[in-house]
């Protein structure tokens, strides 16, 4: 701040007034101070100030403007976890998770004197944008690239997909077909990777992937194609809304679930237990993701990182009525095998 004052030819107090939006500063002076700030690349260390004074309990979150179940559930769980520790959460929603929008959202939180920032970064574009954020800002990425070398808290998507696929194979199916999420999402890529790995480990055929987005409508379209194929007896959907669309398509085409086709989803949305039939799915523990995220963020804010600033949360399989053995299958061998 002293360097800014010297370059702008003003007092330290004037710089402070400009940074805090004080009205009693002439516009010409304000512009001169802002130019000096820009030239020096100055950024107030809000985290250090709030921790030293104890005056701020504000945490910032950057999230895409979306109603998708996973990101929305993560955000709600983090707000609860933060409140339990006495923090207030300010959420900055952006239309797209790119470099410009994330930088603007981070700056907004810093101007609001947020002590630390969480970015829900499930896409490749968001992860690339995080690389441009100054390293001195206490920031934790959630659901980002598993290959990131810095602070990250995420669900083990590969293991969840492996659990789902293994469950269908153990029920007696020769192989499992997959309806994937959007390729630019880390969750979708890792779930596809886990599905493929489980099939390869079992020595099962790996069918072609049916690409989709996260919507029930997209799942329905994929399901109509799969329903035409008698060899399809088991489907792993990348999320529960895709699974819902698949259930509708199978019903319309006269293929019973689970009598003819078994289906497993991912996310365990609240409605999953009330689908027809109730859906077997993979449940991410969003509450644990939120508490681990807060723990890592508080560690970063204190300047004393814990032994690990990367946390991976293992999901669980929730078994319901959408999975059964294929027709003609007998215990001790898969359908059609002696």
């Amino acid at each position: 701040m002293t360097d800014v004052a010297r370059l702008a030819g003003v007092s330290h107090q004037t710089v402070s007034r400009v940074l805090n939006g004080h009205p009693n500063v002439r516009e010409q002076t304000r512009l001169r101070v802002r130019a000096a700030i820009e030239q020096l690349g100055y950024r107030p260390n809000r985290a250090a100030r709030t921790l030293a004074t104890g005056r701020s309990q504000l945490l910032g979150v950057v999230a895409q403007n979306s109603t998708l179940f996973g990101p929305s559930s993560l955000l709600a769980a983090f707000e609860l976890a933060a409140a339990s520790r006495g923090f207030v959460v300010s959420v900055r929603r952006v239309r797209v998770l790119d470099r410009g929008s994330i930088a603007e959202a981070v700056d907004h939180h810093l101007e609001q004197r947020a002590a630390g920032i969480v970015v829900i970064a499930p896409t490749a574009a968001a992860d690339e944008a995080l690389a441009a954020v100054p390293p001195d800002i206490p920031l934790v990425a959630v659901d980002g690239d598993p290959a990131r070398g810095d602070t990250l808290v995420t669900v083990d998507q590969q293991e969840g997909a492996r659990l789902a696929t293994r469950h269908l194979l153990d029920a007696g199916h020769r192989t499992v077909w997959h309806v994937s999420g959007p390729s630019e999402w880390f969750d979708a890529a890792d779930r596809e990777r886990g599905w493929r790995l489980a099939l390869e480990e079992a020595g099962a055929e790996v069918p072609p992937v049916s690409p989709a987005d996260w919507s029930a409508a997209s799942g329905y379209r994929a399901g109509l194609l799969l329903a035409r194929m008698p060899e399809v007896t088991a489907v792993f959907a990348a999320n529960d809304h895709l699974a819902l669309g698949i259930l509708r398509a199978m019903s319309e085409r006269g293929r019973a679930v689970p009598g003819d086709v078994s289906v497993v989803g991912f996310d365990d949305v609240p409605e999953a237990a009330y689908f027809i039939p109730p859906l077997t799915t993979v449940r991410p523990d969003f509450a644990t993701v939120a508490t681990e995220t807060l723990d890592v963020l508080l560690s970063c804010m204190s300047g004393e990182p814990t032994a690990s600033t990367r946390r991976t949360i293992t999901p669980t399989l929730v078994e319901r009525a959408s999975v059964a053995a294929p027709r003609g299958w007998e215990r001790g061998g898969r359908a059609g095998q002696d």
Side-chain angles (χ1 to χ4, degrees):
M1 192 179 292
T2 301
D3 292 338
V4 170
R6 184 182 302 113
L7 181 61
V10 299
S11 68
H12 180 281
Q13 290 81 2
T14 298
V15 175
S16 179
R17 291 190 187 100
V18 171
L19 289 172
N20 290 292
H22 198 284
N24 295 334
V25 180
R26 288 189 302 172
E27 185 60 23
Q28 184 178 2
T29 302
R30 190 186 307 277
L31 291 174
R32 195 161 68 246
V33 170
R34 287 293 180 188
I37 288 172
E38 184 70 19
Q39 182 177 335
L40 293 174
Y42 169 75
R43 184 186 299 276
N45 192 332
R46 304 295 190 186
R49 181 188 300 178
T50 54
L51 285 172
T53 63
R55 287 195 298 266
S56 174
Q57 291 293 96
L58 179 67
L59 301 177
V61 174
V62 181
Q64 191 168 16
N65 189 17
S66 168
T67 57
L68 288 171
F69 179 75
S72 298
S73 298
L74 279 171
L75 177 56
F78 182 76
E79 289 180 303
L80 288 174
S84 71
R85 300 284 293 271
F87 287 93
V88 176
V89 174
S90 171
V91 181
R92 187 76 166 181
R93 295 184 182 274
V94 297
R95 187 176 62 83
V96 291
L97 289 167
D98 58 16
R99 178 170 297 199
S101 59
I102 288 180
E104 186 277 332
V106 168
D107 283 342
H108 167 81
H109 285 311
L110 293 176
E111 286 297 322
Q112 297 298 313
R113 300 185 181 179
I117 298 173
V118 169
V119 180
I120 300 175
T123 65
D127 192 71
E128 292 167 3
L130 289 178
V133 175
D136 62 322
I137 297 174
L139 184 148
V140 177
V142 182
D143 243 10
D145 184 357
R148 279 181 66 86
D150 50 8
T151 50
L152 173 70
V153 181
T154 188
V155 173
D156 191 338
Q157 310 290 348
Q158 282 195 50
E159 177 61 15
R162 196 193 68 79
L163 288 172
T165 307
R166 185 73 252 177
H167 181 63
L168 289 163
L169 293 174
D170 288 345
H173 297 275
R174 286 177 181 258
T175 190
V176 178
W177 295 69
H178 181 47
V179 178
S180 71
S183 59
E184 67 271 17
W185 283 64
F186 296 117
D187 291 0
D190 272 359
R191 290 171 194 179
E192 180 181 335
R193 201 170 289 120
W195 159 78
R196 189 179 304 276
L197 179 63
L199 292 179
E200 291 172 349
E201 289 174 344
E205 177 188 354
V206 180
V209 173
S210 298
D213 56 35
W214 294 122
S215 69
S218 184
Y220 173 73
R221 291 190 293 271
L224 289 176
L225 295 175
L226 293 173
R228 297 177 181 176
M229 305 164 63
E231 66 270 27
V232 175
T233 66
V235 180
F236 165 49
N239 78 349
D240 290 349
H241 289 102
L242 287 170
L244 176 61
I246 293 167
L247 292 178
R248 169 69 181 270
M250 293 297 173
S251 176
E252 286 187 1
R253 292 296 182 264
R255 300 200 68 186
V257 177
D260 297 314
V261 180
S262 291
V263 178
V264 176
F266 203 115
D267 279 342
D268 195 26
V269 300
E271 302 83 5
Y274 302 95
F275 289 176
I276 300 176
L279 183 67
T280 295
T281 185
V282 177
R283 176 187 294 160
D285 189 345
F286 293 119
T288 298
V289 173
T291 56
E292 293 289 332
T293 299
L294 183 59
D295 181 58
V296 172
L297 182 60
L298 294 179
S299 174
C300 293
M301 287 161 52
S302 71
E304 299 177 358
T306 56
S308 173
T309 55
R310 294 176 57 85
R311 309 286 172 85
T312 303
I313 315 304
T314 303
T316 56
L317 182 74
V318 180
E319 297 184 33
R320 298 194 180 103
S322 64
V323 175
R327 295 188 189 279
W329 182 84
E330 295 181 0
R331 190 168 298 279
R334 291 180 182 168
Q337 293 182 337
D338 295 332

